[in-house]
Each structure stands twice: as C-alpha cells, then as structure tokens.
C-alpha cells in the first residue's frame, strides 16, 4: 500500500481509495464506469440490479470495494478520533465481548428501563458524553459559519 498524506480537506473515502494498490484502483475505476453505463442504459428494475451484480462479479470489484469501505470506516470510526473516544469504544467492545448483550434493569423516575450491560459497564457514560460534546461542537461550528 502506498503511504498518503492525510488532510482534513479530503473525505475519508478518497483517502482510503488512495491507499489501495494501483491495480485495485483501476478495477474500481472500470467497475464504476460500467455502473454508470448500466445506470444510464435502457434496463429497468430487477434486470438493472442483476446487470450491476454481474458487472461486480465480472470485474472482480467486490474485494477491492470491501477493502475500500473498511479503510474508510476505520478512518472515520478509529483513526480520526481522540484517545479518550478510542478508550471508550475499546472498553465498550471489550465489555460486550465479555458479558454479551445481557440486560440490567434500572428503575429511574418510577419507570423500569432495561439497558445492556455493555452500555452501563463499558464506559458507556464516557462514550455518550463524548458523542454529545462532539455533536454540540459541530452544531456551534455550523452556527458560526
């Protein structure tokens, strides 16, 4: 894989595409051109979907597409996050693996609420607080611009 200087100006999907080997980039380019031709063609409904799936199979674009999407997802969920959020996500995943999706009953304000243990034990409060802070900061930036 080629090393690429990541910048905030490029979306994660573009950065992920640039990390793929040139042969896979070429496969995806040919595949996307074929999809455009099918989209603009005369086929309708189910036949169009079948033609798109056949094109994906014929161009061998499924694996490069999976790699591209996983690289973009990894960047968005992990690489572009602070260490505190990574710690929160890591503890939630570890707790979910250890205890599963077992629920815990809480009685708050007179109503019974059932929450998964991974949300309670696995730094769920930290994660929820970090997400809320991130959303608040994003809203402030939108209001200022």
């Amino acid at each position: 894989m080629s090393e690429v200087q990541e910048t905030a100006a490029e979306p994660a999907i573009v950065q992920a595409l640039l990390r793929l080997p040139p042969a896979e980039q070429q496969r995806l380019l040919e595949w996307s051109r074929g999809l455009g031709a099918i989209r603009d063609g005369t086929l309708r409904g189910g036949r169009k979907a079948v033609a798109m799936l056949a094109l994906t199979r014929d161009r061998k674009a499924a694996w490069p597409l999976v790699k591209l999407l996983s690289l973009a997802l990894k960047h968005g969920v992990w690489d572009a996050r602070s260490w505190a959020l990574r710690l929160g996500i890591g503890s939630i995943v570890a707790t979910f693996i250890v205890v599963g999706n077992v629920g815990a009953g809480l009685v708050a304000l007179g109503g019974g609420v059932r929450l998964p243990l991974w949300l309670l034990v696995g730094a769920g409060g930290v994660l929820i607080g970090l997400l809320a802070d991130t959303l608040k900061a994003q809203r402030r930036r939108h209001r200022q611009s």
Side-chain angles (χ1 to χ4, degrees):
M1 285 190 219
S2 62
E3 292 297 319
V4 177
Q5 179 72 23
E6 294 183 8
T7 64
E10 289 181 329
I13 194 81
V14 173
Q15 294 174 14
L17 182 62
L18 294 175
R19 288 182 180 175
L20 289 177
E24 291 181 355
Q25 290 177 4
Q26 186 63 32
R27 255 191 232 157
L28 287 175
L29 178 63
E30 292 170 2
W31 172 74
S32 64
R33 288 178 180 160
L35 283 181
I38 292 171
R39 184 190 64 216
D40 297 336
T42 59
L43 294 176
R44 297 284 175 232
R47 290 186 176 155
K48 188 178 277 193
V50 168
M52 288 181 174
L53 288 173
L55 176 73
T56 303
R57 183 193 63 226
D58 295 342
R59 299 292 169 111
K60 297 182 173 128
W63 184 244
L65 188 61
V66 167
K67 284 175 61 177
L68 174 69
L69 294 176
S70 65
L71 284 171
L73 183 65
K74 179 185 174 278
H75 176 75
V77 172
W78 192 256
D79 294 342
R81 301 293 167 225
S82 68
W83 70 270
L85 192 58
R86 287 181 188 182
L87 183 63
I89 291 171
S91 64
I92 285 176
V93 169
T95 306
F96 183 76
I97 289 171
V98 171
V99 297
N101 204 21
V102 176
L106 295 178
V107 179
L109 302 174
V113 178
R114 189 165 177 94
L115 294 174
L117 281 177
W118 60 267
L119 187 63
L120 295 173
V121 178
V126 172
L127 180 64
I128 292 170
L130 285 169
L131 290 175
D133 291 343
T134 303
L135 291 172
K136 286 178 190 175
Q138 195 173 26
R139 288 176 112 182
R140 273 190 244 123
R141 277 186 257 132
H142 280 310
R143 287 181 187 158
Q144 291 175 353
S145 57

